[in-house]
Amino acid sequence: MFEIKPHWLNYIDGEWCDSARCLTVNNPATGAPLATVAEAGIADAEQALAAARRCADRADLTRARPAQRVTWMLRIAEEIRAVADMGAWVLCQENGKSLRDARDEFVEAARYFEYYAGLADKIEGTSIPLGHGYMDFTVYDPMGVSAQIVPWNFPVSICARSLAPALAAGNAVVVKSPELSPLGMCVLFQAIEKAGLPRGAVNLLCGPGREIGSHLVSHRHVDQIVFTGSVPTGQAILRNAAERAIPSVMELGGKSAALVFADADRKQLLDSVKSGIFFNAGQVCSAMSRLLVQREIYEEVVDAVVGLAEGLGVGPGHADPDLTPVISARQLDGIEAMCRRAVEEGARLATGGAAFADRAGYFMQPTVFRDVAPTMNIAQEEVFGPVLAVIPFDTEEEALAIANGTEFGLVAGVFTQDISRAMRCARRLRAGQVFVNEWYAGGIETPFGGIGLSGFGREKGQEALYSYVRTKNVGIRVAGE
Ligand code: NAD
């Protein structure tokens, strides 16, 4: 247990800055106020953007040999690991997530910096043969100033996911933290500060999305937008980005389906359901929110999943239970409203369906709907809570049609012992990532991103690095050849 500072600041141009106004951060397990954070205003955003612009224009991160960036990034990773226990406590208290998962976020953040440190000196162009008399090659330039908007569900690891490749490629960055969970990111930036990056290379602002977020993403100093969050906000940002044709990476929502065939390994399946929909109280963009089950094992699987949900340990994050609270009263109300609508539409509530009445914080019961029709709202819209929609199917063709039948396409899963079936499904599933026999198989090394309303661009893996650079081609006429 660590003492939590009562007031936190923004990080602008190498300084921690206060503000006249502040935002209150609550503990979702109790609903009680936890701390305040300085609320960035337009003037703060202007200062941060100007600092990042100066850093990018001076080419502070790319002027030195690439090995210098490797050193900075490895140092950042080391400093993050050093604050992981304290940071995890802060993140668990402000966000509601389990202490174990909060610590994993800090470790994952360190891993992002280590991983991209390994690539920072390998951003190599190609030489293109044009015949005698010509030399032609490509170089990868940084974008310049990257504006990054972070959501509240995994603020520390998502922040590191975009920040690490951006810095590895030599960009200066302005990050906006989420209003509901900004403190863990302050701890992350305290660690980053110790690595001694050039002034203005990284800046952190916490403020209202509609004011500060929209100011950032439409600013003339910004060369790239990286947004992770909801579809309506992403669409609003893209409309702004269109005005200045700013390249964007959009990591949006999902309604991801697992296809469960009769030969599926039951233990692998149940372990995956537990992490797929109940991890982080279901507040995961790539949550397994639809379970498509072949009819011959449908009753058996529904019973097992209901048993799993009803057996989950529920409690505040610091007790490391299976199921933690959701982030806010508003989020809880929204989840309950979607459950009521599902019942009105004819889905059968197998368990859960409402908030825990006897708990002070924002605790949603683990919920399973059975006999869900693919067209129902609960099978089409993101809930962002611990709510599973179970849908029966008969054939592989039908399962694929249901799985691909939403506007989203973030991830998907296939549970079967038949490798040919798994490969056929993986090829035909409309999703950026497919898991076979283990939901979340993959890691920071594997490219991640969506199709359709789930967004575009890829994060994670070597591929993500190329979201943070521009290709320039240089063609040379060689005299005398
Ligand atoms: P949100 O869209 O409400 O907010 C995300 C961020 O955008 C916050 O920092 C917010 O302040 C900011 N914002 C709000 N309005 C803005 C505007 N007009 N201009 C600029 N910024 C603005 O999303 P949320 O509720 O914080 O997060 C949940 C959503 O995020 C879910 O839909 C989830 O699926 C998605 N998500 C996606 C991924 C992914 O990698 N694909 C990861 C995590 C979360």
Side-chain angles (χ1 to χ4, degrees):
M1 186 168 166
F2 294 82
E3 200 175 320
I4 295 184
K5 271 197 319 178
H7 185 60
W8 299 68
L9 305 177
N10 294 305
Y11 188 68
I12 303 171
D13 198 12
E15 310 277 346
W16 290 96
C17 306
D18 209 347
S19 157
R21 292 185 300 183
C22 63
L23 292 164
T24 301
V25 181
N26 294 321
N27 179 341
T30 60
L34 184 69
T36 56
V37 62
E39 181 184 326
I42 299 294
D44 301 300
E46 285 292 331
Q47 244 186 301
L49 286 162
R53 184 74 268 160
R54 284 193 296 274
C55 178
D57 289 348
R58 286 190 308 256
D60 282 347
L61 293 168
T62 45
R63 201 177 277 280
R65 291 184 80 87
Q68 175 62 58
R69 288 203 301 283
V70 175
T71 306
W72 277 322
M73 306 228 353
L74 290 176
R75 179 83 202 280
I76 291 174
E78 206 179 303
E79 296 295 346
I80 295 173
R81 286 185 191 276
V83 297
D85 287 335
M86 183 270 282
W89 180 259
V90 173
L91 180 59
C92 154
Q93 296 294 303
E94 68 166 333
N95 189 289
K97 66 177 60 213
S98 77
L99 195 54
R100 183 186 53 236
D101 294 340
R103 195 167 192 291
D104 285 351
E105 270 206 53
F106 276 87
V107 173
E108 189 166 301
R111 281 286 300 128
Y112 277 117
F113 282 94
E114 287 160 0
Y115 181 83
Y116 288 105
L119 295 174
D121 55 355
K122 298 173 192 70
I123 308 175
E124 297 170 352
T126 49
S127 152
I128 299 166
L130 286 181
H132 279 209
Y134 294 94
M135 277 290 291
D136 192 285
F137 61 92
T138 58
V139 286
Y140 289 115
D141 290 332
M143 292 280 187
V145 174
S146 175
Q148 307 190 344
I149 313 273
V150 177
W152 48 260
N153 59 338
F154 295 97
V156 172
S157 61
I158 288 179
C159 177
R161 180 175 89 181
S162 307
L163 188 52
L167 291 176
N171 297 278
V173 186
V174 180
V175 184
K176 194 196 89 61
S177 57
E179 303 89 309
L180 291 171
S181 187
L183 309 183
M185 283 176 61
C186 293
V187 177
L188 180 73
F189 270 68
Q190 287 165 0
I192 293 172
E193 184 187 25
K194 294 200 176 125
L197 289 170
R199 256 183 108 104
V202 293
N203 302 271
L204 174 66
L205 300 170
C206 184
R210 274 167 202 276
E211 192 187 337
I212 292 303
S214 61
H215 188 73
L216 280 185
V217 296
S218 45
H219 200 279
R220 69 196 157 85
H221 282 338
V222 167
D223 300 304
Q224 181 210 28
I225 298 167
V226 182
F227 173 74
T228 308
S230 65
V231 173
T233 310
Q235 289 167 327
I237 289 174
L238 280 174
R239 281 189 282 274
N240 263 328
E243 288 294 313
R244 291 188 46 247
I246 306 178
S248 310
V249 174
M250 288 281 142
E251 294 287 358
L252 309 177
K255 192 71 198 177
S256 302
L259 279 59
V260 182
F261 291 92
D263 63 347
D265 180 291
R266 305 299 198 266
K267 179 167 182 337
Q268 278 178 334
L269 172 65
L270 286 183
D271 287 349
S272 284
V273 171
K274 186 175 175 190
S275 61
I277 189 63
F278 299 122
F279 163 56
N280 212 38
Q283 303 165 116
V284 184
C285 52
S286 44
M288 180 204 283
S289 51
R290 293 182 295 157
L291 191 68
L292 279 46
V293 186
Q294 203 156 27
R295 204 168 307 268
E296 55 209 277
I297 58 162
Y298 182 73
E299 292 302 331
E300 176 206 330
V301 170
V302 169
D303 286 349
V305 167
V306 168
L308 167 76
E310 291 179 347
L312 293 175
V314 182
H318 61 79
D320 272 339
D322 300 314
L323 190 77
T324 48
V326 299
I327 188 83
S328 65
R330 186 159 167 243
Q331 182 74 6
L332 187 60
D333 290 349
I335 298 169
E336 282 190 296
M338 286 191 77
C339 289
R340 284 195 297 275
R341 178 158 178 201
V343 172
E344 283 159 23
E345 284 188 319
R348 279 173 62 195
L349 183 61
T351 189
F356 281 100
D358 54 346
R359 290 182 180 269
Y362 316 129
F363 289 90
M364 178 70 198
Q365 293 175 16
T367 298
V368 178
F369 281 102
R370 56 170 298 166
D371 307 348
V372 173
T375 50
M376 287 177 185
N377 189 264
I378 198 74
Q380 290 287 324
E381 297 297 325
E382 186 178 47
V383 179
F384 225 53
V387 178
L388 182 66
V390 191
I391 304 171
F393 72 86
D394 290 301
T395 64
E396 184 179 314
E397 202 59 32
E398 186 190 359
L400 285 165
I402 297 170
N404 292 339
T406 76
E407 299 269 10
F408 296 100
L410 194 52
V411 303
V414 188
F415 290 82
T416 178
Q417 300 301 303
D418 178 343
I419 184 69
S420 298
R421 167 168 271 163
M423 294 309 295
R424 279 196 306 272
C425 290
R427 200 180 285 284
R428 291 183 60 195
L429 280 163
R430 190 176 164 276
Q433 187 167 21
V434 178
F435 308 126
V436 176
N437 291 335
E438 183 186 299
W439 200 260
Y440 299 133
I444 66 167
E445 304 85 352
T446 50
F448 172 76
I451 295 174
L453 285 187
S454 293
F456 53 83
R458 290 294 176 265
E459 292 279 34
K460 301 185 174 182
Q462 295 192 34
E463 194 152 328
L465 200 58
Y466 297 93
S467 301
Y468 295 88
V469 291
R470 302 177 202 275
T471 309
K472 181 187 282 167
N473 185 260
V474 181
I476 305 166
R477 179 76 173 92
V478 180
E481 272 199 336

